Amino acid sequence: MERTFRHHSYLFAMAKKLPRVSFGIIFLCWLPPLVWYLAVYREFSLPIIRLSIVSSLTVTFIALLAAMVLHELCNTVYTVSESSFIKKSPYKIKIAHFDRVIRFRFVRIPFFNGYGAIVVPGGVIRLPFIIDHLAECVEAIKQRLDMQERAGLYDEKNLLAFQKKALVHEKSVRRIQKAAGPLFQTAISWMAGGAFIAQAFWDLPLRWIVCWGIMGIV
């Protein structure tokens, strides 16, 4: 039976929220000159306006780059069929027929998660840890290789370590997904509250207001 796997759902959530977050950050970039004008000197500061313009353009460039990367990741699927493993992205399709696989292994990289590698005569198809249900994907590939009587192409202990690490990584991702929203809201609230207190109660200079807001995020 054919099985299809995609990347983790947080990538789809990031792609969906990217426009709103980008506009929000651009608004924050223009907040200092507005505060400077409305609450401090009643006149615009050209250096701060120039900084806001540069910051806005930088955020826009990063957002466009992130949109391109997320578009590719969200539209990439991994399919395990009876006879082959297929990685299909918006720009390329890679196919590894199980009867032509040379090796299937877990590549360890110090200080990083590493990746799975399906080695075929034409190259390598990688299985990164951002694949959702990666452990099940590895098991499905193993079963197809066993059906082809090619179990000697992989080391059982090596792939077992891969699957265990994939399960741990998946649990970590689930925890981060649950915590990310409240943590972000808390950080923004502390930033806004700190900046307001620094201006309204202590009447600090703008640079110290900005520093106090950054400390609130930390």
Side-chain angles (χ1 to χ4, degrees):
M1 183 177 67
E2 185 174 281
R3 296 197 60 184
T4 300
F5 299 88
R6 295 181 178 271
H7 290 142
H8 281 297
S9 59
Y10 71 84
L11 294 171
F12 296 87
M14 288 173 60
K16 185 177 180 180
K17 295 179 180 178
L18 182 62
R20 183 172 58 186
V21 172
S22 301
F23 284 121
I25 296 176
I26 291 174
F27 172 76
L28 291 176
C29 291
W30 284 96
L31 201 57
L34 289 176
V35 172
W36 180 277
Y37 178 79
L38 296 175
V40 185
Y41 293 109
R42 292 293 178 178
E43 62 181 15
F44 290 109
S45 171
L46 291 180
I48 297 178
I49 290 177
R50 285 196 293 267
L51 178 62
S52 296
I53 292 173
V54 172
S55 301
S56 300
L57 292 176
T58 302
V59 170
T60 302
F61 173 77
I62 294 173
L64 291 174
L65 182 62
M68 292 173 58
V69 174
L70 289 171
H71 171 72
E72 180 169 358
L73 292 177
C74 292
N75 289 280
T76 297
V77 295
Y78 302 82
T79 303
V80 183
S81 68
E82 295 293 333
S83 60
S84 62
F85 178 81
I86 304 169
K87 178 185 176 182
K88 183 179 180 181
S89 69
Y91 313 110
K92 187 184 295 185
I93 297 177
K94 291 184 177 181
I95 302 176
H97 296 283
F98 292 126
D99 59 355
R100 299 187 62 197
V101 171
I102 299 173
R103 194 175 181 189
F104 180 36
R105 66 192 182 103
F106 171 38
V107 179
R108 293 180 172 89
I109 301 177
F111 308 110
F112 294 94
N113 283 327
Y115 58 90
I118 302 176
V119 184
V120 293
V124 178
I125 298 181
R126 297 187 178 187
L127 303 178
F129 276 83
I130 57 174
I131 297 176
D132 201 10
H133 303 297
L134 178 57
E136 296 179 18
C137 180
V138 174
E139 186 62 31
I141 295 171
K142 285 172 58 180
Q143 291 176 1
R144 299 302 189 277
L145 290 173
D146 291 343
M147 291 171 60
Q148 297 275 346
E149 297 183 353
R150 311 201 74 194
L153 298 179
Y154 62 83
D155 184 326
E156 185 69 36
K157 291 183 179 179
N158 177 266
L159 291 189
L160 183 60
F162 187 23
Q163 289 177 289
K164 287 182 178 179
K165 194 164 188 177
L167 289 172
V168 171
H169 177 77
E170 193 167 321
K171 290 181 180 179
S172 299
V173 168
R174 299 287 184 263
R175 293 194 190 101
I176 293 172
Q177 284 181 282
K178 290 180 65 176
L183 184 62
F184 178 77
Q185 294 171 8
T186 302
I188 295 299
S189 298
W190 275 101
M191 181 196 71
F196 174 77
I197 291 172
Q199 168 60 33
F201 291 91
W202 297 337
D203 196 24
L204 295 177
L206 180 63
R207 62 179 180 273
W208 293 114
I209 294 174
V210 173
C211 292
W212 197 260
I214 293 173
M215 287 302 297
I217 294 177
V218 174

